[in-house]
Structure formats: C-alpha cells, structure tokens
C-alpha cells in the first residue's frame, strides 16, 4: 500500500522516524514479547477501537514487540482497520528481528500452530498458551 494513501498518512513520517530510532539506538536481548497496547483516544477517528472490558475503553490499538527484561519497544504497528490479516501483522512487526533466534513470548490471541511454524522457519522460538480452535496438533489433544 502506498504510504501517502494510508489512514496514518499525516503522522507516517514522524512514526517512521521513531521506528528507525527504536531499531538503531538499542539492540534487544534474546527474550521478546509480542502484545498489544491502547493509546487512549476519545475523539473521532475511523480506526479507534472499543473494548468494554478494559479500563481504557476507547483508543488506538498498537501491536508491539518489546524486550522482556526492560520493556523497551523494539517495533510497533498501529491498527488502522484496513483488512490486514493477523499473520501479516505479526510478521511485519517482527520482521526487523527475524533470523536472530529470539524467544518470543505471546498470549493466546497471537499464538497458533501456523504462527509457530512461521517463526521456526525464520529462526524464532515461540512460547505461549494456545487456543484449541486454532489448530491444536494431534499429539497435544486430550484423549479420553
């Protein structure tokens, strides 16, 4: 997609600047986390998210890769509601750290067997809980 036509086109140069600085100033250790965060926002915005179960109910959803020890943000992507698949989002957020045998810790929202296979192909290890409906391997299924 052309950056001049995306929903973040007004802030894209600033966001790109910070992302380059995140990657060049500090090299993360081996343990990484993949999770989401919310930037509070009550104004009108097309891609503002709403989650009634959270303290911050309205805001911008940001998917981030952070170092486990320090919490340093290595990379992030703001969800804009433009129809990007979850696997593509995970791959694009982790792309700068591929091939380095990092250990990625994630919750059950991001974890699936297809994601784990993708990580192993790109020299990453994954740890996290897995949902039964996301392609549980036969060796892990409970048998009665």
């Amino acid at each position: 997609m052309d950056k001049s036509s995306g929903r973040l086109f007004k802030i894209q140069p600033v966001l790109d600047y910070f992302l380059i600085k995140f990657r060049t100033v500090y090299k993360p250790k081996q343990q990484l986390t993949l999770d989401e965060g919310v930037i509070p926002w009550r104004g009108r915005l097309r891609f503002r998210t709403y989650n009634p179960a959270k303290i911050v109910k309205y805001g911008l959803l940001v998917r981030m890769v952070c170092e486990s020890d320090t919490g340093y943000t290595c990379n992030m992507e703001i969800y804009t509601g433009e129809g990007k698949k979850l696997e593509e989002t995970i791959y694009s957020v982790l792309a700068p750290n591929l091939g380095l045998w990092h250990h990625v810790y994630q919750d059950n929202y991001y974890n699936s067997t297809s994601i784990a296979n993708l990580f192993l192909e790109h020299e990453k290890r994954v740890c996290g809980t897995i949902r039964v409906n996301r392609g549980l391997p036969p060796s892990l299924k409970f048998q009665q």
Side-chain angles (χ1 to χ4, degrees), residues 32 103-108 111 116 119 125-130:
L32 300 176
H103 297 179
V104 179
Y105 299 93
Q106 56 194 12
D107 60 6
N108 63 4
N111 208 357
F119 281 178
R125 297 209 167 108
V126 64
C127 179
T129 56
I130 190 166

Side-chain angles (χ1 to χ4, degrees), residues 10-25:
K10 289 184 179 180
I11 64 164
Q12 195 66 51
V14 175
L15 186 62
D16 289 341
Y17 174 80
F18 279 113
L19 290 176
I20 289 169
K21 289 298 180 184
F22 287 160
R23 293 180 198 134
T24 57
V25 169

Side-chain angles (χ1 to χ4, degrees), residues 6 15 28 31 41 47 60 65 87 90 98 100 111 120 132 138-139:
L15 186 62
Q31 301 344 348
W41 183 265
F47 49 91
L60 304 177
V65 174
E87 287 85 11
I90 292 170
L98 290 178
L100 301 174
N111 208 357
L120 284 175
V132 176
S139 61

